[in-house]
Every structure is written in C-alpha cells, then in structure tokens.
Amino acid sequence: MRVINLASGSEGNITYIESGNTKVLMDDGLSCSETVRRLNLIGVTPNEIDAIVISHEHSDHIKGVDVFASKYNTPVYAHDGVWFGLDNKLKKVSSVNRRSFEEGFSIKELDIDPVEVPHDVKCYGFSFNGEGKKISILTDLGHINDRILNAIKGSGLVYLEANYDRKMLMSGTRYPLTLKMRIDGPNGHLSNETSSEAVEFLTKTGTRQIVLSHLSKENNTPNLAYTSICENLNKHGIIEGKDIRIDVATPSIGAMFRLK
C-alpha cells in the first residue's frame, strides 16, 4: 500500500490511498485544480482515481468533490446519513456515481471499514485494508471510545486528529465562547491530550506510525502537538522513535508511506 496526505487542516483535507491497481481519495477539501496539481506532483493523474470516499459534509472535506467527480466521472462514496447533508452541496455528481454504504464495502482491491465518530454532523472515519495491510484515518471527532479504538486497532499507520491545545483554545484566541465550547465539546474535535491517550492505546496494540492530523491553525502548532503528545507518552513509558513514530500533517503534501 502507498498512502500520502495531500492536505490537512481547517483549509482542506485530502488523503491518497493506493493498493495494487486501486487508487482512491479520502475526502477532497481542495479545489479541483489544486487537487489535480497535487496528484500530478505524486505521479497520479485524476483519471486514475477510482473513487472518492467522504467522511462528512463540511467544506474543508468536500470543497473539490463536485467539480472533480463530474469532470472525471469519479464515483463518490458516503454513508446514507452523510448523503442527506450532501444532496444540496454536491449537485454535479451524477446519480450513477452516488454510492452509499451502511457497513464495510470494497473498491476493487481495497476493503474499507467505516466507523461512525461523534461530530456535530454525521461523520465517519475509515480503515483501508489492502495487500494484507491496514491503515486508518480518524479526524473530526469530539471524543474517542473503546468502540472507535477497537475499530482501528491493528492498523500499521493511523492518521489521527490532534486539533487543538486546550489552554491555547481557551485563553489565546478571540473565538467566541460558544465556538470554543463546540470545539472542546463531545461532538467537536480532539485535543492534544485526548489524542495522546489514543496514541497510547494504539501503540500497545501494534500501531507503529502515527500522523497527527487536522491541526487547527488558530489553536495548535505542529511543534506543540508533537511535543505535548510525546511528553504524555513518556509518562507511560512510551518513547517516540523507539516504540512509535509520530509525524505531523500540514496543509502541504506530507510524507509518503509505503506499507509492505
């Protein structure tokens, strides 16, 4: 498998996953032209994309879907409950290319398992299984629990939200209190502290690579997310670089991971 995050954060999210001859995007929160440009930079043409899998309806995850899917005749997969919020936002996607799922599904050589996550709209994370490997992408969730962790357990690579530093959110931004409470609430986003708890579990169940994802431009920094999570792991005897490797996704194209 080959996986690369093409963009991460509040301005757009998109991840490329490849297994054998299967090539898919999870979300497309960039413009169509920018998506194509970034695909070209990694040696992929837009016509090669077999499908786009959508997590939820927010614009930073679907901005480019309508134009991309209509221009390149690309199937778009989303849960029935997510489609309910997408109908008025993806008007150019043809009816034949609107694909729904309730449970696990396959796209050619990739088996995909959705897991519902708590957000302020219907939202899903996914595990992608191919060539005997499993990777998971889990962003846009207000809290994490055993059901979610068990769904992604066994992934060699996990893209995991570390959206905000709580102190920075509460005291360092000019966000209105209602927005701060939404972000910090059970249907908002994951803090660095909560993300570190998930990383601890994943490390103990076999994951060897974490990519901290969907960082807030206003309420976090790559260095703060990385440092605070590593410090929390150290308290539990988990050493970054030895027991687990941790990278941080940015709005730019990230590292390419090859799972063999």
Side-chain angles (χ1 to χ4, degrees), residues 19-32:
S19 179
N21 293 317
T22 309
K23 300 175 180 180
V24 305
L25 300 178
M26 179 177 159
D27 292 332
D28 184 5
L30 304 176
S31 68
C32 178

Side-chain angles (χ1 to χ4, degrees), residues 211-226:
V211 182
L212 304 177
S213 303
H214 208 276
L215 273 67
S216 167
K217 183 172 66 174
E218 302 292 335
N219 303 306
N220 212 352
T221 69
N223 183 64
L224 179 57
Y226 174 84

Side-chain angles (χ1 to χ4, degrees), residues 13 54 58 82 85 88 94-95 108 128 133 140 144 148 151 164 172 181 195 197 208 213 215 219 222 237 241 250 256:
N13 298 273
I54 296 179
H58 286 160
V82 176
N88 292 326
S94 66
S95 58
K108 293 171 63 175
F128 297 85
K133 304 297 179 182
D140 294 80
I144 203 158
I148 297 169
Y164 67 98
M181 297 305 292
S195 186
E197 295 170 0
R208 290 296 171 259
S213 303
L215 273 67
N219 303 306
T250 71
M256 174 77 74

Side-chain angles (χ1 to χ4, degrees), residues 24-42:
V24 305
L25 300 178
M26 179 177 159
D27 292 332
D28 184 5
L30 304 176
S31 68
C32 178
S33 60
E34 183 61 18
T35 300
V36 171
R37 188 186 77 82
R38 296 193 185 199
L39 286 171
N40 287 335
L41 287 173
I42 65 169

Side-chain angles (χ1 to χ4, degrees), residues 149-165:
L149 288 172
N150 286 327
I152 65 172
K153 183 172 67 175
S155 302
L157 164 65
V158 176
Y159 289 85
L160 178 68
E161 178 169 78
N163 182 258
Y164 67 98
D165 173 78

Side-chain angles (χ1 to χ4, degrees), residues 7 40 189 224 238 241 259:
N40 287 335
H189 291 279
L224 179 57
I238 297 171
L259 285 76

Side-chain angles (χ1 to χ4, degrees), residues 4-8 14 16 25 28 30-49 64 67-68 71-72 250-254:
I4 183 167
N5 191 255
L6 300 181
S8 180
I14 176 171
Y16 171 81
L25 300 178
D28 184 5
L30 304 176
S31 68
C32 178
S33 60
E34 183 61 18
T35 300
V36 171
R37 188 186 77 82
R38 296 193 185 199
L39 286 171
N40 287 335
L41 287 173
I42 65 169
V44 178
T45 64
N47 286 312
E48 293 180 90
I49 299 300
V67 174
F68 189 101
K71 185 173 184 178
Y72 299 105
T250 71
S252 302
I253 295 177

Side-chain angles (χ1 to χ4, degrees), residues 12 71 96 102 105 108 113 120 137-138 149 160 177 182 192 204 206 223 234 260:
K71 185 173 184 178
V96 71
E102 289 286 344
F105 60 102
K108 293 171 63 175
D113 295 313
D120 54 6
I137 303 174
L138 204 64
L149 288 172
L160 178 68
L177 181 60
R182 172 199 168 255
N192 293 339
K204 292 177 178 178
N223 183 64
N234 285 344
K260 299 180 180 179

